[in-house]
Amino acid sequence: MNTEQRSTPTLDTLSMPQQTDLPDGVIPFYGTAKAPERRPSRTKLGYDILMLLLLLVDLALILTDTILTSGIAHSLAQWLNLSAVLVNYQQNYHDSIATIGGFFTLFWLGELLVRWGLAIYARTYYRWFFFPFVHWYEVLGVIPALRILRLLRVVVIVRRLHRLGIQIVPQRWIQSAQFYYHVLLEELSDRVILTAIDNFRTQLHQPTGKHGQLLQQTIAANRSQIETAILELLRRELTPRLQAALLAEQGERLSASVGAAVEQALDDTPELRKYLKLIPIAGGMIESQIHSVGRSIGKQVTTAINQHLFADETLDGLMRAIAHGISQIDTTHPQVQTLVAEVVELSLSAFEEQIKIQQWKHRQQLP
């Protein structure tokens, strides 16, 4: 039977589901009659560039005013003997910068409301109130205390311009930022994982820890799977070796040994020899035949027993009983808990050593 090859799709192969693809009762964000995506006009590009410049000016004023009115700037000005310059700014320019910031806030609020109205008119979104949820960073950025969120709109505009082929930020800077972002993310995640491993290891070595209860619950919930795995292992590893032992010289040796033992038992029976001596002439020949028959019976009985014991049905039943017995192991036994604790400890140590490897150092060596 031909089986179709299946592969995991990538992000490039996935597309935005349309209204007809969505289940009933699901409200999409965008309208059903949305125009196909195409390169924006020069007006939109110019608007994005203008908004980017205004945002940079606004953020520069916010950053400058925040720094120059902070306690750090005051301490640094005293250390550099520039206190007069700082006081002059705070007395003569701070209020003007704050006023300009207020005008910027009103401008962003009005610009946001205009774009919201245009989105409602063009039916860009499926519901009129979806706009503030999609542009949440702009809505929050209008609040004076959260003006720093306007930086997110700068990122969105720069990303949109980069998609259109307009390089605002050098590619080398972007790659460096992505690299250090992954370094920071990896280091933070490694610290979290290592801390969790240390906490689990500490609980594992506590006599009153819950690892014993966790072990019992885990085994109790998976006894059937454990039994199936052990049975498959026994069938694959133990059954062929036992049957090979019968087919090899061990089976013949056992049969010969049992036959010789039966013959020796007949030979060590004085009553049989006494009665055979009463038969003249034929007594010795009968004794020899009895010994031969006894040896043959011993061999045949041993061979029959071996064939029965090592038959597929018998061995399979034996393996089932062994697997069932192992799966019903008492997890409260101290030796079992000690063994499991050692196995878990070795696994945690190996996992910890793998986590400690700083993958970003290896990626840094790649071209």
Side-chain angles (χ1 to χ4, degrees), residues 197-209:
I197 291 176
D198 290 337
N199 293 336
F200 185 77
R201 183 183 284 113
T202 302
Q203 295 181 5
L204 187 65
H205 293 288
Q206 290 179 354
T208 58

Side-chain angles (χ1 to χ4, degrees), residues 24-277:
D24 296 335
V26 176
I27 301 177
F29 260 113
Y30 296 97
T32 57
K34 187 180 178 180
E37 188 174 346
R38 58 189 178 186
R39 189 177 182 88
S41 62
R42 292 183 179 181
T43 304
K44 291 184 178 180
L45 288 177
Y47 181 79
D48 282 341
I49 295 175
L50 177 61
M51 292 299 103
L52 179 61
L53 294 176
L54 292 177
L55 284 168
L56 292 177
V57 172
D58 186 19
L59 291 173
L61 293 176
I62 294 172
L63 181 62
T64 302
D65 187 65
T66 303
I67 293 176
L68 293 179
T69 56
S70 64
I72 297 177
H74 181 70
S75 301
L76 187 61
Q78 288 182 345
W79 183 63
L80 296 175
N81 296 324
L82 296 176
S83 300
V85 177
L86 183 61
V87 171
N88 180 46
Y89 169 80
Q90 292 178 353
Q91 291 180 353
N92 300 323
Y93 297 100
H94 171 67
D95 293 338
S96 299
I97 297 297
T99 303
I100 295 174
F103 280 117
F104 267 114
T105 299
L106 293 176
F107 172 77
W108 297 128
L109 177 60
E111 189 261 350
L112 182 67
L113 293 176
V114 170
R115 288 196 295 118
W116 189 357
L118 292 176
I120 295 174
Y121 176 77
R123 296 184 178 180
T124 304
Y125 304 101
Y126 196 75
R127 292 288 188 266
W128 65 271
F129 54 84
F130 281 1
F131 181 88
F133 293 99
V134 176
H135 301 272
W136 59 270
Y137 51 91
E138 298 183 47
V139 175
L140 296 179
V142 172
I143 303 174
L146 301 176
R147 292 180 296 176
I148 193 62
L149 290 178
R150 297 171 190 176
L151 182 62
L152 293 179
R153 188 178 178 187
V154 174
V155 175
V156 171
I157 295 177
V158 170
R159 187 166 177 262
R160 183 161 60 240
L161 293 177
H162 273 262
R163 285 182 175 179
L164 298 174
I166 302 176
Q167 196 76 18
I168 302 297
V169 181
Q171 187 65 26
R172 184 178 181 85
W173 292 9
I174 297 177
Q175 293 176 352
S176 299
Q178 291 176 347
F179 171 75
Y180 288 111
Y181 168 75
H182 288 296
V183 170
L184 178 62
L185 193 63
E186 180 180 349
E187 292 296 331
L188 290 177
S189 61
D190 288 351
R191 298 286 78 77
V192 172
I193 295 175
L194 291 176
T195 303
I197 291 176
D198 290 337
N199 293 336
F200 185 77
R201 183 183 284 113
T202 302
Q203 295 181 5
L204 187 65
H205 293 288
Q206 290 179 354
T208 58
K210 295 183 179 181
H211 62 277
Q213 182 180 0
L214 177 63
L215 172 64
Q216 297 174 16
Q217 294 176 353
T218 303
I219 294 181
N222 299 276
R223 289 190 186 275
S224 59
Q225 291 84 347
I226 295 174
E227 181 177 350
T228 302
I230 295 176
L231 179 60
E232 183 64 26
L233 182 63
L234 292 175
R235 285 173 175 174
R236 187 176 66 250
E237 299 293 338
L238 188 57
T239 300
R241 296 186 181 182
L242 292 176
Q243 292 178 340
L246 172 64
L247 299 177
E249 298 179 356
Q250 286 81 357
E252 297 181 358
R253 288 180 181 178
L254 182 61
S255 298
S257 299
V258 173
V262 173
E263 183 180 1
Q264 184 64 34
L266 292 175
D267 190 49
D268 294 340
T269 305
E271 291 81 2
L272 178 62
R273 184 176 298 176
K274 181 176 69 174
Y275 291 130
L276 290 176
K277 287 182 178 181

